[in-house]
Every structure is written in structure tokens, then in C-alpha cells.
Amino acid sequence: MENTLLLPPPAVSGQSATLSRIHETSAKFQRYKILLRRRWWFLLLTASIGVCIQALRITGLPDTHTSLAKLVAGGRVVASEGNVGWQDQLTDFYGTIIETLESAEMKKRAMARVHALHPDLKDSSVDIRVAQTKGSAIFNVFAIGSEPKFTKIFLDALLDEFIAFRQLIREQGLERALNTFTETVVKKSKELQERTEKLESFRKANDTVQLYGSHNEAAAFLLNLKTRRESISGELKDLQIALEDVDAAMLDRERGIISTTNTSGVPTQSTGVAAQSGKPGDAVTKLPATGVDNNTAGGLGMTSAERDYLDTKKEIMRFQNDRLKLLRSFKPGHPEVVVLDEKIESAKQLLSSFSDEIVREMRSRESTLLRQLKAIDQQIAEKQKEALELGGKLAEHERLDEDFKAAKLAHDQMFERVQNFQDLQNIQTDYVAIQERASTAYKDVQDWVKPLVGGLIIGLIVGVLILVLFDRLDDRMNSFSEFQGLFPSEAVLGQIPEQRQRGDVALLRPNDDRHLYAEAFRNVRSSILFKNWNGKQPKTILVTSAVPNEGKTTVTSNLAITMALAGARVLLADCDLRRGGVSELFKLPITPGLSEVLRGKLHWRDAVQETGVRGLDLLARGEVFDQTSEVLLSKTAEEMLREMGDEYDYIIFDSAPVLVADDTASFAPKLDTVLFVVRLSSTMARLTGKALDLLYDRQVNVGGVILNRSTTNLKEYTYYNYASYYYAPVKKKPGEETPVAKA
């Protein structure tokens, strides 16, 4: 029978990954459970040792006596701004009080005080412990010593030294603070004196009136000069515009004078206006005075040349108007028209003369304005320099004055703080006082419960840590997950559950009521039948293990029974020629067997025995002899295998452990496949790996691994635990015997 089954690779999903983590967690829990079941006595031992150590420690302690005193930390009297009041203290200094009382320095001071006051008293060691009463500012000071009298006296001395120490610290702090304040006052006084001298020296070297007035007269005069310069610059610009078109400027000037006269009713002096063009809508610009006496033109703000220019222009216009009237009646050559033309030409020449005169006056005025601008620019430069110098002096004076005021204010404030501090120093009181002096020392009663419980807990913790360390060093595999993690390339054909019973484990039988146990072997059988063997179904199968006591023989026998129950003809051969026990499981004779066959004493068919299971025959071990490896390597063994393969569907050999003898490693290469049995919670991983490496080195075809005695409590084994799914077991007939197998 040859079946080739190609299975698709398993799909990795988030759900399968989650299940894998659950299985790993369950396996780890089971591992620790097994460890605890095996080594529970070790935890009991470490816990007992811890309790004993604590008991010895307590019994070895000397008698102690305890004295109690109390301190109270409240408020203090302080003075602020002339008022005296009570100030409550916060809890930020409570830790300081406790640390100070328990410090070695305080104990040293207290011991010196005891020596001084009680020189005849014998020294004794005293331990100080301070505890704050919850929700209050009261400190309970415990003194624990072997001598009751010395303990009480030492505690009183400690309290006195603590109060004296606080007083010393406070006085030193006040003295340092006062010295600091005094040094600061002296420093501020020197600073104030330096600022005063600088201010007085500056005032003496500069104009006092200007400095106190804080007014820069040069800057004001400079502003007036700039205003005047802007006015002259405007007038010069207007004059330059008028020079470009004198005729239009004269017309605009005339219109301006007429407008001024018509508005006020009285002729007024005006600077005149001049336009860039005589067109309506053009911008009108003031025409500056030409510098000629305005009264010469009748007091209308115009020079005589300007007035004559305007009069002549009007006369030309009148002549031209009369000429137009004559031309209506006469021709241009008429004597009257000719006379008017001559008058017009004469007036135009006169107008040109007046225009030239006006231009000369304007040029003269332009030169005057330019000279004025130059003079003003010189004055502005001088005043700017003077204003900058005066402004710098005013700023320097203001800075020196502010520094003086700030120094004086700081000096006065610090001087006032020194006075207030001296007043506060006179009335300040400490805020820690002795509420109760040391009480009479009483004998302590030893507490056994807490130390013993502590020793028990510590012993258990130490035991757990040691067990965990041992577990890290122990490489025995407890679950399928652990095996797969250590040997990921090995195929697991199935897991055989552990049978919780005493004595030998009975072999499988038809309708066996051990459902999980029987189903596990059926699962192994299916794995063998339907595994992808690359086209060649194995017929000769060898079952082995790394070391003895793996349950190899029981697994081999039950596997052979399971294969036979499926209808196959199976031959079970005991190939463990040294300590084979298959015959004992089936309660059949050991001889004749395989050892006699390999040595040629008889044919293998003559040594085959019936087992009582239909389809299953047994070839026993035979007599024990030396040199078993040699006979397994002989040609007789090869011929025997060939003949067995012709008569049986499967030949299953139970062999010796790989690491015990060389028999298996010598015989296994002759067979189709090898099944490797690993007993969980027993077989060490390093031994399993060594045995598998040895088989692979001999070119052995390892078909898979069978995990024996697997724990069914693990999550990964849950799918087997559906007992209600199986049929009800058949009751045994009277007198029916059940073959047993060794565990």
C-alpha cells in the first residue's frame, strides 16, 4: 500500500498566533506545576531553615529595655512690620528633626554629656529610634539599651543636647544673617556715596540752569531754523517756476491781486502768484516778491516793472481790439489800421523790455534766496552739534540722577531690614520643645510571630528562586510546545497521554475503554499512513529512544496492536537483544527468538509466535549473547528483512536505546524509517539531540517523533479531552484476562 499525500503549508494567522501563545503559557504553567510536584520538599526545607534561623537569632538576642520621651514641634513667635505674632510651622522640617535625633553626632554629644554628669556610670550601647505620631507634630523618641538606668539617662542627655544644638544652629544662623545684612549695608553706603560724587561732579562741570530745566534750547532754535529754511525753499521753488513762463506768472499775479482786492475791498500787499501755464485748471503757485519796493506800484504788492508790464499788455489788447473793429470796415492797408499796427508793435517791444526787467529782478531775488539758504544751512549745522551735545549732557544727568535715587532707595531699604532683623532676633523663640522627659526604661517582650513569619516567607522565596534556577538548568521537556521550540525541524507524529495508575500499563485491546490512550495510538497510526513519504510507504519500522525507561517497548507494542486492528498483517520483532521485554508484555516465551535467527540456528518463520491479536505475530528476543552489533550487520539480517517484507504489511522492531548500545545505529540504516520516542518530563533535550544527530550521521531516515506520557491538562492537549464523544465501554466477560505492559 503506497499513498502519497501532499499537505498544504499551514497558514499563519492572528488567531493561530494567539492560540500558540496560550499553549506556550499553559506549557510553562504545567512545567512549574511538575517542578513543584517533584520538588515540594525543597520549599519545605528552605522554609524550615528560614524559621530556624529566625528562632536562633531571637533566642540569641540579649534582653533590652526601652525608654520613651516626646518632643513637640509647633509654631514660633515672630515680628513682621512692627507686629509680633505666632507663626505655625509646616511639616517640611519634620524629616530634619528625625534625622538629627538619630544621627551619630547627636549620640556622640549625648554620650559626652552622660560622661560629664555621671562619670561613675558604666557605658552601654543605646539605639535611638524616632517615630512621628500620625496627624500631629509630636515625635516619640525611643531609646533601646541593655541597661535600664543608663538608657533613661542617655535619652535625657540626648534631648538636652538636641535642644542645645538647635539653639546653637539658630544663633549661628542669625549671626551669619546679621553679618550679611551689615556687609550689604556697608556696600550700599559706598555705592550711594560714589553715585552722589559722580552726580555733583557732573553738575559742577555743566550749566546748572539747563540741567535742572531739562529743556534743550538749542533743539528748539534748530527747529525754528528748519521751519524758516522750508519757507525760503518754497519761495525759491515758486520763483524758479515763475521764471519758466513770465507772462503766465504775471497774469496769475494780477488775478491774485484782483481777487485779494475784491475779497477785502482794500488793496493789500501780496507776494503774487505765478502759474506754470495760463490754462484753466492748472496749478496755481505763489510768485515771491522780487525784492523791489512794493509801494512803488501803488501799494498793491507789485513792482513798477510788473505794473507797467500789465498796463502795456492791457494796452496791446485794447489796440488789437480796435484793429479788429477797423478791419470790419477797412482793409489791412488802411492808414488807420497801419497806425494801430505800429502802436501794437511799439507796445510789444515795450512789453518785452518790461519782461526782461522782471526777469532780472527775479534772478536777483533768486540769488538772494540762495544766499539765505546757505547761511541758514550753516546755522543749522552749528545748532545740530550744539543740540546733540546738550542732549547728551541732559541724558547723562538724568541717568546719574536715577542711579543716585536707586542707590539711595536700596540703602534705605537694607538699613530698615537690618533694624527689623535686630528687633526680630530679640524676640524669636524656638518651635521645638520637650513635651515629656525620658520615662523609666521597661523590659522589652520579644515578638516571635513577625520574625518567624518573615523567616518562613524568606525561606520560601529563596527556595522558589533556587528551584527556578534549577529549572533553567534542567533541559527536560514537559510539553509539545517545549519540544517544538527546541527541535523545530522534527515532525511529531503524536502524543501518548500519561496513564495515572500504579503498576504496569495494560496493552491495548479491541473496544478499550481508555479512550484518550487508544485514540492517541490511532492518531500515530494515521500519521504514519498518511504522511508524505516521498512516494515510498514504509514497511519496516524501527522504534527507539535516546535512553532507557522512555516507554519505548510499550509504545512499540501498542502501535503494532493498533496497526493490526486496522486490518494490516503486522510482525512485531523484539530487536533489543540485550534487555528486550516485548515477550513479557504479551506473556509469551522469550526463546526461540531473533538472536537464534541472526546466528543461523533456525529460520525466522520457525521463531514467530501468535499474540492472540488477529493479524499480529511476535518474533521474541531470544537468548542474550555478546556481539549483537555484528549479527545485525550480517547478510542474514538483510535476507530476513526481505523475506519478512514479502509476507507482512508492516514489520515493527523494538530496539535498544541509541545512546546505550550501537545495535540500533547499526541496524536502523537497513530499515525504511525510524520512529523516535521521547518521554516528556523525563528525557533531557541534550540527550535527545545527541541521539538524533547520531542517527542522522548513520544516514537513518527518522520518520518522526512520538511524545510519550504527555500531560492532558495542557491547553494544547484539550482537543483529546472530549470523553463524552466516545462510545460506552463494553463490559468484560467473566474470566477475560488483559495483557499488561510495563510503564
Side-chain angles (χ1 to χ4, degrees), residues 312 316 340-351:
T312 303
I316 291 173
L340 283 176
D341 288 340
E342 292 176 353
K343 290 182 179 180
I344 290 172
E345 184 64 27
S346 177
K348 287 184 177 180
Q349 292 178 356
L350 183 60
L351 183 65

Side-chain angles (χ1 to χ4, degrees), residues 334-371:
H334 190 273
E336 293 183 3
V337 176
V338 172
V339 172
L340 283 176
D341 288 340
E342 292 176 353
K343 290 182 179 180
I344 290 172
E345 184 64 27
S346 177
K348 287 184 177 180
Q349 292 178 356
L350 183 60
L351 183 65
S352 177
S353 299
F354 289 148
S355 178
D356 293 339
E357 181 64 23
I358 291 173
V359 169
R360 285 195 298 271
E361 292 176 353
M362 288 183 178
R363 294 294 182 188
S364 177
R365 179 61 178 168
E366 181 182 16
S367 300
T368 302
L369 292 176
L370 290 174
R371 288 194 301 272

Side-chain angles (χ1 to χ4, degrees), residues 323-524:
R323 184 176 182 276
L324 291 175
K325 290 179 180 180
L326 289 176
L327 289 176
R328 295 175 184 172
S329 303
F330 305 103
K331 294 182 178 179
H334 190 273
E336 293 183 3
V337 176
V338 172
V339 172
L340 283 176
D341 288 340
E342 292 176 353
K343 290 182 179 180
I344 290 172
E345 184 64 27
S346 177
K348 287 184 177 180
Q349 292 178 356
L350 183 60
L351 183 65
S352 177
S353 299
F354 289 148
S355 178
D356 293 339
E357 181 64 23
I358 291 173
V359 169
R360 285 195 298 271
E361 292 176 353
M362 288 183 178
R363 294 294 182 188
S364 177
R365 179 61 178 168
E366 181 182 16
S367 300
T368 302
L369 292 176
L370 290 174
R371 288 194 301 272
Q372 291 178 356
L373 285 178
K374 184 177 181 181
I376 290 175
D377 289 340
Q378 292 178 353
Q379 288 182 333
I380 288 175
E382 294 175 357
K383 289 298 180 181
Q384 280 181 341
K385 183 177 179 181
E386 183 179 349
L388 289 174
E389 292 178 356
L390 184 58
K393 291 180 179 180
L394 290 175
E396 180 68 17
H397 178 267
E398 184 177 359
R399 184 184 65 79
L400 292 175
D401 188 57
E402 291 295 333
D403 292 344
F404 168 75
K405 292 179 180 178
K408 189 174 186 306
L409 178 61
H411 174 269
D412 295 342
Q413 291 178 347
M414 184 55 64
F415 187 77
E416 184 179 0
R417 289 182 64 184
V418 171
Q419 290 182 335
N420 294 336
F421 182 80
Q422 290 177 342
D423 296 337
L424 177 63
Q425 183 179 2
N426 295 330
I427 63 173
Q428 188 177 21
T429 58
D430 192 10
Y431 43 87
V432 178
I434 300 175
Q435 186 181 40
E436 294 181 7
R437 305 293 296 187
S439 64
T440 303
Y442 57 88
K443 186 177 181 180
D444 297 330
V445 178
Q446 296 291 347
D447 183 11
W448 286 78
V449 177
K450 290 183 179 180
L452 293 181
V453 171
L456 177 65
I457 295 175
I458 294 174
L460 290 175
I461 293 175
V462 172
V464 169
L465 293 177
I466 294 175
L467 287 181
V468 170
L469 178 61
F470 285 165
D471 181 68
R472 294 297 91 188
L473 300 176
D474 185 8
D475 62 346
R476 286 180 292 186
M477 299 161 288
N478 295 320
S479 65
F480 167 77
S481 299
E482 293 183 5
F483 177 83
Q484 196 174 41
L486 294 172
F487 301 95
S489 60
E490 299 297 335
V492 177
L493 300 179
Q495 302 183 62
I496 309 302
E498 182 180 7
Q499 298 300 299
R500 299 182 179 277
Q501 65 183 48
R502 293 185 178 182
D504 296 334
V505 178
L507 293 176
L508 289 175
R509 59 187 179 276
N511 299 325
D512 200 310
D513 57 355
R514 296 171 296 175
H515 304 300
L516 295 180
Y517 192 65
E519 200 65 27
F521 282 100
R522 295 188 187 106
N523 180 45
V524 176

Side-chain angles (χ1 to χ4, degrees), residues 256-297:
I257 293 174
I258 294 174
S259 176
T260 304
T261 304
N262 293 337
T263 302
S264 62
V266 181
T268 59
Q269 183 177 352
S270 174
T271 59
V273 293
Q276 295 180 2
S277 65
K279 298 179 182 180
D282 289 345
V284 178
T285 308
K286 290 182 179 181
L287 181 64
T290 58
V292 183
D293 188 3
N294 293 333
N295 294 330
T296 59

